[in-house]
Amino acid sequence: MDPRYNKRQADSSTYGQRSRLPHQLSHHQQSRDRSRERGSARGGNGGSGQGRHGGEGIRPPPRRIHDERYDVQTNCFKVVPANASKREGKWYEYRAFVYEARKIRKDPDGNLLASPKFVFKEEKVDGEFKSGSRKSIGILEKGASLESEQVMLALQRKLLEGNEKKWIATDGGPTVFAASQLFKETDPHDLQYYEKPPQPNSGEKEKLSRTYLVEIKKGCRFDEDFAENVPDIPRLVILEEVDDPILNWQCASGGSLWPLDDSKAQKFCQVINIVLKNSMLMSGCRSFGNKLTACLPDEIQATVMENDLFNSNAGDRTIGPRMGMLQSSRACVNKEIFVAQSAKVSHFHLDKFQDDRRRIPILDPGKQTIAGVRVNINECVPCDLRDTVEAALDKLTFHIIYDINTENDKRRVVKPGVRMRLSTPEGEKKEKDSILWASNDPDQYSFEASPYGTCTVYSYFQSRYGIKLRYENMPIVFTKYGWYPVELLFQSFAIMKGANDENQKMAILKFYDNKSGRAMSELKRYNDELRQFSQHGQELEEAFGFKLSDEPLQHEAKLLAEPKLEFGSGHSSSPRNGSWNLSGNKKLFRPADLPSFAVIDFTDKGDGHELVVGLLKRAAYHGLTNNQFEREYPQVVNELVIKANPLHHSGDMVQQINTALESAIQRAKDFFLKDCTNFFKQRHTAFKTYVTHPTIGKTECLVYPTGNDNLGIVYPQEVMFESHQIQFKGEIQEARMAIVVKSDYRGDKFMVDPFDFVSVELNKWEARRDESSVWEQVTFVEFQWTTKDGNVVGKDAVVSSVQCDYKMWQVECPAIIFVVFQNIEKEGHSLVKMFSNFMNGVQSQCLVKATHDRQRNEAMYYSNLVLKINAKLANSINMAQSWKITAYKGLKQGLPWIAEAPTIILGLALTKGSGKDSKTVVVGSVALVDESGSCLKNGFSVQLQSRPDVIEPRVFKEIIKSLTIHFYASGGEFPKRVLVFRDGQSEGNFPEIRSDEIDNIPQALEDVWETVRDAVPGNQFFQSPKVSYVICLNQHNIQVVPSIASRAVNKNVPSGTCVDNVIMPFAKMGLTEDPLSFLLTAQGGLKGTSKPVFYRMLLNQNGSLTREVLESVVFGLSFQYPTATKTTRRLSLAQYCKRLSEQLISYLPYIDGRRGSLKEGFAHFPHLVVDGDETVRSDHSERNLISKELLPDFCPRLVNGEWQAPLRPHLAA
């Protein structure tokens, strides 16, 4: 490692490629250089480096220097009048309440009624029915569900029965919209009641309402083939007018429906969405997933899907793909309403076999399976299969169906739509179970049932229902109706959870690939198929006075200019469709240093460490190397590697990975810090690394073993001159170690500083006479020590070395851990990150041998990993970055707007864990902009909260403070402008984001200011930075494709396509202050249809940040993802935040003890301590770290009252 590298940051020559005298280049190096020259003469340096062979010799298309414009087509259809002559209309809004009903056959005097009546079922209070009360179900308040949908569809059918059809639309919630007024005050009530309805509170005006009786099939749809076997359940629905019930609309100048009152545009869109969803449900579609998504009817599934997708699960006929339609409306500029339609394919648990339409049993005697798990159905399920069977059943929704066959009762019983749940303890059985393993085993479960006595489930069904179960040794499961044998269960139609089977994924991806480029024409075909299948939905839309345009929207888009990328050694690259690579002889623009590392090998044959050797050699080729032993990588790796058993051969993966990682770290410390193998001693050198200096923070150092637990530290001269104490003329003086060498070329002897002397391999050294000199080959002569006065002494005069009692965490070793897996290990990868980042504060890089072996271009596989390593090892000393942006928007380097004033760019994302009591990981990132304007290095802040959607104010302020400290510690400036990119969220959360996040930024910045104000020259008064807050919406359904095939790249729009007109949000909806929204497709799509990111500006206090400038900044930042040679779909800052939050959420279950064995046998593990609303790590106080950070080793530290940047801030996922 070059100890003066931090002093020549602007030098574009790569670290590790030391300038040498011409004669000192080896024959191999000279041949390699000549070969490169010949290759360059034949085919150039590869240009943008596209394709598997790097694009060498192929001239890339010219780079876009200026913005261009071209036509695109979207999946947006305009909402137009259903009748061209009707240019205005009105809709009515009601609020619905659903109550349980009971049937009465006699009047209050006891006389038998001619026909039964239904009244409100009273609520029970202390076991007694409260007179005059109503038992509310509350299903509408909970949102859309199967029952609420069935209630409202039944109400729709009832309102259509009369001569005057009345159309309503509802999403299953409490809001109901009607195409006309449903009732007037003079209209008679439908029902006669024997009790008075509750009167309004004093002073309140009684609202106009009507009550309707509907009957539903609880748990199933009315058109299910077994619906006749499900008893009718009465429900009473009250519709009540809201305060402002009328929503007037007109046909605006653009030809679209639009509300008369602009402020009601959002509600207008809500009506459109609900009508469209009801239209699909009335046409035979089923709800699933997103509340605006409906699964198309089975009858047309095979028509709309490709055969290879429809039959992709032919081996398992219990599951299959189904297509749904997602439709959502949006109020746009120019006062137009558009509906974005998109097709969505998911895998479902089917309720019937596709070929013969038989119901699918959970227990399949022919295949000998339970929920797809193979068992012997004549014997009890063995213990080693029980967890698998229980997990498979837990994923399913099922129907209970059986035929009663007694002398007095012969009927079919259907209990639809149930799931397995934990039982209620009965009798002596105190444990809660969801499954027991035999229906006829009294030791597992028995109960008293009159008049049958003590029964098992098996005997009860035979005695009570005349049903003799065929498989008495098969399990019983507990449902809300009690215990039932698995042989009476039949699979229900439901979306699959975790459908990650490789064949399923590939089939869906292939389907989307085939549709790419013609997605819009396919949408028209789906709509036509649905209309031909059923006209009911079309009638509903016409009743509300609208329809969708026949053709999707076509309009102009912008194609943003592309930057030029500069690498080391004068090489450059022009991206093609948002992609480039490291082909040819490209060097990293500023490589990181690799002082030390550890190696773990989990491969089958124990040869995975060879991948590490290949990776290190490729890293050296790109300029990232260790000058101390670059030529001896095989030997060093062999000394360091820990060969562990393959993970799939191990029982406890948690313990195995922890043990291997601890062993690897200890072996690295023994090799580098203690020099147990005498590697450095034999070469007369010392181990170079970083240490936390007590006054200046992180700095480079040389480590000399002392034979005890202390470390001998030698600092660079500008940090500390003295390294030893010597005896000179009878006095003890401070002196510095020096090395006497002899030049192999000139033959003279000269003295060099230890930092200017390296061993390239055993008995071969290089040195330089001073910082301005070239490196030359030398021969080691001896050590000497020199005082500040210039006195020189030999080894015999040394009294002692300067001892620095540093703790192990203060001296970096290892800098990174290389872990080699045989195959892709998702859980193993998460555990490696947990033990390396969370426990040890060390970077890690995983390699997969199977992936490596499949590569046709091994060099490119390694090069891509080198990018990740370079990002992870970047710090404020080496200022590493793989490339920099040049010639972008008229600038010589960097991005527009950012360099005009100190600007902090932040990214925020969160990921919610699974489970009732799960935590949410919140990750913030800050772009650490360097002098070239590059943002390839990021700092991070990671915290926990319980809220799943919006960041809690306390957590938000802590993250903003931490990231601002990152920014200040890295660059020494306090920000004057703040630009925040917030990942995810829907428009419904915008008000909460304003109050809980945006409004807390000024206070968080002022808190940081108070800690640094004395160090900021000329600024003693806090001036709140101007804030711009942008939401990055990924979960939307807008698609963009080229209108002309000749403009398409892989059937998609090119990278840099920006849509900022026509379908942008209407600015007066209270969501945006200025119309600064836009859609950007930054990543060039290779397969499927590219999906843009929707950028929404919630706050903009920076007047100079116009939409055009913001578009250029966002697109430029997409080229700043340092671990990949392509633009990212998300903004790079948001992408890292999202990936890191998902990574952290995967290992939180291990930390809090829900999974694995960390709570037992891991006494040193830094558990999370929750105190009220504060979440901290139990080891923070010992290490003077930021108390609320989840990964404190990668955050700034307070050293002598000043914030110091972390050594390795960039956590590359």
Side-chain angles (χ1 to χ4, degrees):
M1 180 173 61
D2 183 349
R4 302 293 182 269
Y5 184 73
N6 57 328
K7 290 191 175 182
R8 47 187 178 86
Q9 296 170 356
D11 183 6
S12 62
S13 61
T14 56
Y15 169 79
Q17 301 299 313
R18 297 188 295 274
S19 300
R20 296 186 175 92
L21 299 178
H23 72 281
Q24 292 181 328
L25 293 176
S26 67
H27 174 73
H28 170 70
Q29 290 171 313
Q30 295 178 40
S31 299
R32 183 173 59 187
D33 290 344
R34 286 194 297 270
S35 175
R36 289 176 184 165
E37 292 173 3
R38 289 193 299 269
S40 178
R42 285 194 301 266
N45 61 12
S48 65
Q50 292 296 296
R52 298 183 182 276
H53 304 288
E56 297 185 2
I58 300 176
R59 182 181 296 275
R63 180 173 59 90
R64 292 193 305 273
I65 301 177
H66 305 289
D67 294 347
E68 301 175 5
R69 292 191 175 274
Y70 73 112
D71 288 337
V72 296
Q73 194 176 41
T74 69
N75 60 335
C76 296
F77 295 80
K78 185 183 292 187
V79 176
V80 297
N83 186 340
S85 62
K86 187 175 182 181
R87 310 291 293 181
E88 60 184 24
K90 60 180 64 175
W91 300 329
Y92 293 81
E93 181 180 356
Y94 299 89
R95 186 166 181 83
F97 304 89
V98 180
Y99 299 91
E100 287 193 27
R102 63 184 179 91
K103 183 186 293 186
I104 59 173
R105 301 181 184 276
K106 296 181 179 179
D107 64 17
D109 298 328
N111 300 317
L112 191 65
L113 297 172
S115 60
K117 299 290 185 183
F118 289 88
V119 298
F120 293 101
K121 190 174 183 179
E122 300 92 344
E123 288 184 327
K124 265 188 177 182
V125 179
D126 299 329
E128 299 291 334
F129 287 104
K130 184 179 179 181
S131 178
S133 65
R134 303 176 180 181
K135 187 174 181 181
S136 174
I137 298 180
I139 56 173
L140 302 183
E141 287 74 11
K142 297 177 183 178
S145 65
L146 177 61
E147 182 174 356
S148 67
E149 282 184 356
Q150 294 308 306
V151 167
M152 302 316 291
L153 285 174
L155 177 60
Q156 173 72 93
R157 293 194 299 273
K158 187 176 188 68
L159 291 172
L160 292 176
E161 288 174 354
N163 294 329
E164 184 182 354
K165 292 184 177 181
K166 297 181 182 295
W167 293 88
I168 64 170
T170 173
D171 62 354
T175 301
V176 176
F177 294 101
S180 59
Q181 189 172 14
L182 296 181
F183 46 81
K184 301 176 182 177
E185 192 170 357
T186 56
D187 291 345
H189 288 264
D190 283 356
L191 298 174
Q192 179 181 352
Y193 303 104
Y194 297 106
E195 81 277 2
K196 293 182 180 180
Q199 296 299 310
N201 295 329
S202 177
E204 289 186 3
K205 181 181 178 181
E206 184 176 0
K207 294 181 179 180
L208 184 62
S209 65
R210 287 294 182 272
T211 306
Y212 303 90
L213 170 70
V214 298
E215 292 184 320
I216 64 168
K217 306 288 187 178
K218 189 172 183 180
C220 72
R221 295 161 18 128
F222 70 93
D223 56 354
E224 293 273 13
D225 57 1
F226 55 67
E228 62 181 16
N229 302 113
V230 179
D232 293 329
I233 298 177
R235 294 287 186 254
L236 288 170
V237 182
I238 295 181
L239 292 184
E240 182 181 87
E241 272 192 355
V242 299
D243 292 333
D244 185 13
I246 300 177
L247 183 59
N248 291 291
W249 58 265
Q250 64 180 351
C251 185
S253 57
S256 172
L257 267 65
W258 189 260
L260 288 179
D261 184 352
D262 290 347
S263 65
K264 294 186 176 182
Q266 194 169 5
K267 174 162 284 190
F268 197 82
C269 290
Q270 181 186 4
V271 179
I272 299 290
N273 288 338
I274 291 176
V275 171
L276 291 174
K277 179 66 177 290
N278 277 238
S279 172
M280 297 197 71
L281 294 177
M282 294 182 69
S283 299
C285 299
R286 308 192 199 193
S287 294
F288 83 92
N290 186 294
K291 66 179 181 180
L292 299 178
T293 307
C295 185
L296 299 178
D298 283 350
E299 289 79 359
I300 65 173
Q301 285 287 344
T303 304
V304 297
M305 283 195 293
E306 306 283 347
N307 286 331
D308 53 352
L309 174 61
F310 189 70
N311 299 314
S312 60
N313 291 96
D316 184 357
R317 298 190 299 155
T318 66
I319 61 176
R322 290 295 182 267
M323 178 187 291
M325 289 282 287
L326 172 60
Q327 302 183 99
S328 63
S329 63
R330 58 185 62 250
C332 301
V333 294
N334 305 324
K335 294 187 177 182
E336 294 179 306
I337 304 289
F338 289 96
V339 172
Q341 287 188 339
S342 58
K344 178 182 178 182
V345 178
S346 298
H347 277 82
F348 285 79
H349 296 289
L350 304 180
D351 53 353
K352 296 177 182 177
F353 293 113
Q354 292 179 174
D355 48 5
D356 55 16
R357 307 302 294 167
R358 289 184 300 110
R359 294 213 162 268
I360 298 175
I362 300 298
L363 174 65
D364 190 332
K367 291 188 174 181
Q368 299 267 312
T369 59
I370 300 176
V373 180
R374 191 168 183 80
V375 297
N376 184 342
I377 62 174
N378 296 313
E379 299 177 0
C380 282
V381 177
C383 294
D384 59 341
L385 286 178
R386 291 184 177 182
D387 287 345
T388 306
V389 170
E390 184 173 3
L393 288 169
D394 190 49
K395 294 179 179 179
L396 298 177
T397 302
F398 38 78
H399 307 306
I400 303 170
I401 304 177
Y402 56 92
D403 294 318
I404 298 177
N405 187 25
T406 63
E407 183 176 348
N408 299 321
D409 192 2
K410 297 184 182 295
R411 59 188 170 90
R412 168 163 288 189
V413 176
V414 178
K415 300 180 184 297
V418 298
R419 293 184 62 87
M420 189 168 65
R421 60 167 62 176
L422 286 174
S423 64
T424 304
E426 302 175 16
E428 298 181 358
K429 185 174 178 56
K430 302 299 182 184
E431 299 85 6
K432 292 184 178 182
D433 294 303
S434 56
I435 184 170
L436 298 173
W437 300 99
S439 63
N440 198 24
D441 186 352
D443 293 336
Q444 292 197 46
Y445 180 66
S446 62
F447 57 96
E448 296 295 325
S450 177
Y452 312 112
T454 302
C455 297
T456 62
V457 171
Y458 178 89
S459 62
Y460 178 78
F461 268 83
Q462 185 169 14
S463 302
R464 174 71 176 82
Y465 300 123
I467 300 174
K468 185 176 182 179
L469 300 176
R470 297 176 60 189
Y471 307 103
E472 58 183 293
N473 293 319
M474 286 289 95
I476 56 175
V477 299
F478 191 77
T479 71
K480 63 182 179 181
Y481 299 111
W483 291 97
Y484 279 88
V486 72
E487 65 179 273
L488 303 183
L489 308 182
F490 293 83
Q491 192 164 288
S492 174
F493 183 83
I495 192 169
M496 289 183 66
K497 295 181 179 180
N500 293 322
D501 178 81
E502 193 65 27
N503 293 330
Q504 295 173 355
K505 289 191 295 184
M506 294 306 296
I508 292 180
L509 289 175
K510 183 178 179 181
F511 170 78
Y512 286 139
D513 291 344
N514 293 338
K515 301 298 181 185
S516 63
R518 52 188 180 95
M520 308 316 162
S521 60
E522 288 296 298
L523 286 174
K524 293 176 59 180
R525 186 169 71 87
Y526 304 152
N527 286 324
D528 292 342
E529 291 285 348
L530 190 57
R531 289 192 182 97
Q532 292 177 13
F533 178 73
S534 174
Q535 299 295 319
H536 295 304
Q538 192 172 350
E539 292 177 11
L540 175 65
E541 295 172 21
E542 291 174 353
F544 274 82
F546 74 86
K547 65 178 182 178
L548 302 185
S549 60
D550 295 331
E551 296 294 330
L553 176 66
Q554 181 172 314
H555 59 95
E556 191 177 61
K558 188 187 300 182
L559 197 55
L560 300 179
E562 298 172 302
K564 189 175 181 180
L565 306 182
E566 182 178 329
F567 292 86
S569 301
H571 291 90
S572 62
S573 178
S574 295
R576 291 176 58 186
N577 199 30
S579 182
W580 62 98
N581 63 29
L582 292 178
S583 65
N585 56 346
K586 292 188 182 73
K587 307 299 180 187
L588 302 177
F589 179 72
R590 273 203 296 257
D593 49 290
L594 180 61
S596 59
F597 55 89
V599 183
I600 305 175
D601 185 355
F602 285 114
T603 58
D604 294 344
K605 298 181 180 179
D607 55 356
H609 63 285
E610 296 176 2
L611 271 69
V612 177
V613 174
L615 173 61
L616 293 175
K617 290 182 177 179
R618 187 66 182 175
Y621 178 82
H622 291 300
L624 195 163
T625 186
N626 186 308
N627 289 336
Q628 294 179 282
F629 42 79
E630 175 186 334
R631 300 182 190 177
E632 298 180 282
Y633 277 146
Q635 177 184 345
V636 175
V637 170
N638 279 326
E639 294 284 355
L640 293 173
V641 64
I642 296 294
K643 295 188 177 182
N645 292 327
L647 292 181
H648 59 268
H649 295 161
S650 171
D652 189 351
M653 185 182 293
V654 178
Q655 183 66 54
Q656 185 186 10
I657 290 179
N658 179 63
T659 301
L661 194 136
E662 287 185 342
S663 299
I665 291 177
Q666 187 58 52
R667 183 170 293 186
K669 291 182 183 297
D670 290 342
F671 180 85
F672 291 106
L673 295 179
K674 298 181 181 180
D675 197 19
C676 292
T677 63
N678 293 324
F679 181 87
F680 297 100
K681 183 177 180 180
Q682 292 172 0
R683 290 155 178 78
H684 306 294
T685 58
F687 166 52
K688 281 178 194 170
T689 185
Y690 293 96
V691 68
T692 303
H693 189 274
T695 59
I696 68 170
K698 292 290 184 183
T699 183
E700 294 174 310
C701 71
L702 296 175
V703 178
Y704 287 90
T706 61
N708 52 40
D709 292 335
N710 293 332
L711 299 175
I713 301 294
V714 177
Y715 290 102
Q717 291 191 51
E718 63 270 19
V719 176
M720 181 185 292
F721 175 81
E722 59 274 10
S723 65
H724 292 74
Q725 290 182 333
I726 64 168
Q727 187 170 12
F728 183 73
K729 294 183 179 181
E731 295 180 355
I732 302 298
Q733 297 186 18
E734 304 292 339
R736 182 174 182 82
M737 175 190 292
I739 301 171
V740 179
V741 297
K742 180 181 179 181
S743 173
D744 292 353
Y745 177 56
R746 300 176 182 176
D748 62 324
K749 293 183 180 181
F750 56 96
M751 185 181 296
V752 298
D753 189 84
F755 282 89
D756 294 327
F757 175 77
V758 297
S759 170
V760 294
E761 58 183 298
L762 189 61
N763 297 325
K764 289 185 179 181
W765 299 270
E766 289 185 357
R768 62 179 181 179
R769 298 169 190 262
D770 53 57
E771 290 188 8
S772 61
S773 302
V774 296
W775 291 84
E776 55 183 296
Q777 293 178 2
V778 298
T779 301
F780 172 81
V781 178
E782 63 175 336
F783 288 106
Q784 289 186 351
W785 283 259
T786 177
T787 66
K788 288 185 177 180
D789 297 333
N791 300 312
V792 179
V793 299
K795 185 175 182 180
D796 295 339
V798 176
V799 176
S800 64
S801 61
V802 176
Q803 298 293 324
C804 296
D805 186 17
Y806 286 106
K807 295 181 180 179
M808 297 302 289
W809 64 265
Q810 292 176 288
V811 179
E812 185 190 55
C813 181
I816 191 169
I817 303 171
F818 296 111
V819 181
V820 187
F821 295 117
Q822 180 66 37
N823 299 295
I824 296 176
E825 297 282 354
K826 186 176 180 180
E827 183 180 7
H829 181 273
S830 296
L831 289 170
V832 166
K833 296 300 177 183
M834 179 182 71
F835 284 116
S836 61
N837 295 346
F838 182 84
M839 284 191 63
N840 296 285
V842 181
Q843 297 280 14
S844 57
Q845 178 61 56
C846 296
L847 298 85
V848 179
K849 190 173 188 303
T851 303
H852 165 270
D853 293 344
R854 289 196 301 268
Q855 301 299 312
R856 285 190 282 182
N857 189 340
E858 180 188 59
M860 290 309 301
Y861 172 78
Y862 286 138
S863 293
N864 291 332
L865 292 177
V866 171
L867 292 177
K868 295 185 178 183
I869 297 169
N870 196 58
K872 293 175 182 179
L873 296 180
N875 58 31
S876 57
I877 299 175
N878 59 42
M879 298 297 290
Q881 63 182 86
S882 298
W883 59 82
K884 76 171 184 177
I885 285 182
T886 62
Y888 183 52
K889 294 291 184 177
L891 300 175
K892 291 184 178 180
Q893 62 180 14
L895 301 176
W897 190 76
I898 293 174
E900 296 173 2
T903 304
I904 182 171
I905 310 173
L906 306 177
L908 295 168
L910 46 76
T911 298
K912 186 185 183 302
S914 58
K916 182 179 178 182
D917 301 322
S918 63
K919 294 290 184 182
T920 298
V921 173
V922 185
V923 176
S925 64
V926 55
L928 304 177
V929 185
D930 65 9
E931 79 288 343
S932 70
S934 293
C935 309
L936 284 165
K937 186 175 65 174
N938 300 333
F940 293 90
S941 175
V942 184
Q943 299 206 16
L944 293 179
Q945 66 176 37
S946 56
R947 195 171 178 179
D949 45 15
V950 177
I951 305 175
E952 297 171 5
R954 172 190 63 83
V955 173
F956 183 82
K957 285 193 285 188
E958 291 296 335
I959 287 180
I960 296 299
K961 287 159 62 175
S962 179
L963 297 177
T964 305
I965 293 170
H966 256 297
F967 180 84
Y968 175 79
S970 175
E973 289 184 301
F974 195 82
K976 293 183 179 180
R977 302 187 302 198
V978 180
L979 176 57
V980 182
F981 293 99
R982 171 72 154 83
D983 183 72
Q985 295 314 302
S986 63
E987 294 177 353
N989 293 122
F990 284 1
E992 293 175 285
I993 291 177
R994 280 183 174 278
S995 60
D996 292 356
E997 299 181 15
I998 297 176
D999 291 349
N1000 285 296
I1001 293 178
Q1003 184 60 55
L1005 295 174
E1006 187 172 1
D1007 291 346
V1008 177
W1009 169 262
E1010 293 299 327
T1011 67
V1012 303
R1013 60 185 301 174
D1014 294 336
V1016 180
N1019 289 315
Q1020 297 305 310
F1021 299 98
F1022 176 71
Q1023 295 179 339
S1024 181
K1026 297 184 182 298
V1027 178
S1028 297
Y1029 205 94
V1030 183
I1031 303 294
C1032 311
L1033 291 173
N1034 297 286
Q1035 301 303 318
H1036 62 85
N1037 68 322
I1038 300 178
Q1039 296 176 336
V1040 182
V1041 299
S1043 294
I1044 304 174
S1046 60
R1047 295 307 302 262
V1049 181
N1050 297 319
K1051 302 179 182 179
N1052 277 298
V1053 293
S1055 168
T1057 297
C1058 180
V1059 175
D1060 57 10
N1061 52 30
V1062 185
I1063 57 174
M1064 290 302 100
F1066 182 60
K1068 295 182 180 180
M1069 292 174 64
L1071 300 178
T1072 56
E1073 291 190 349
D1074 296 301
L1076 295 181
S1077 303
F1078 60 92
L1079 286 157
L1080 176 63
T1081 306
Q1083 189 178 67
L1086 297 177
K1087 291 179 176 294
T1089 302
S1090 297
K1091 186 176 180 182
V1093 175
F1094 205 163
Y1095 293 93
R1096 302 288 306 275
M1097 178 75 80
L1098 287 195
L1099 175 68
N1100 186 26
Q1101 298 175 340
N1102 293 287
S1104 59
L1105 186 61
T1106 63
R1107 180 162 59 189
E1108 288 70 22
V1109 172
L1110 181 61
E1111 290 168 354
S1112 299
V1113 170
V1114 171
F1115 189 47
L1117 285 172
S1118 299
F1119 290 83
Q1120 301 279 272
Y1121 191 62
T1123 60
T1125 54
K1126 61 180 179 180
T1127 52
T1128 53
R1129 177 176 172 266
R1130 281 187 178 100
L1131 189 78
S1132 57
L1133 286 167
Q1135 175 78 358
Y1136 264 129
C1137 286
K1138 192 61 179 177
R1139 288 190 62 184
L1140 185 56
S1141 64
E1142 291 172 348
Q1143 181 187 103
L1144 287 161
I1145 206 72
S1146 68
Y1147 61 68
L1148 277 184
Y1150 298 99
I1151 296 173
D1152 60 23
R1154 285 178 289 154
R1155 188 174 184 182
S1157 55
L1158 292 185
K1159 291 293 185 183
E1160 302 174 3
F1162 285 80
H1164 62 289
F1165 195 87
H1167 300 300
L1168 301 181
V1169 179
V1170 180
D1171 180 16
D1173 62 349
E1174 301 287 332
T1175 304
V1176 300
R1177 281 180 53 165
S1178 59
D1179 61 338
H1180 281 180
S1181 58
E1182 303 171 6
R1183 302 168 60 185
N1184 191 30
L1185 303 171
I1186 298 178
S1187 62
K1188 300 177 182 66
E1189 288 289 346
L1190 195 61
L1191 297 175
D1193 295 279
F1194 303 92
C1195 295
R1197 281 191 177 88
L1198 198 60
V1199 180
N1200 290 333
E1202 293 185 5
W1203 288 106
Q1204 298 291 337
L1207 179 60
R1208 312 283 187 188
H1210 194 106
L1211 274 165

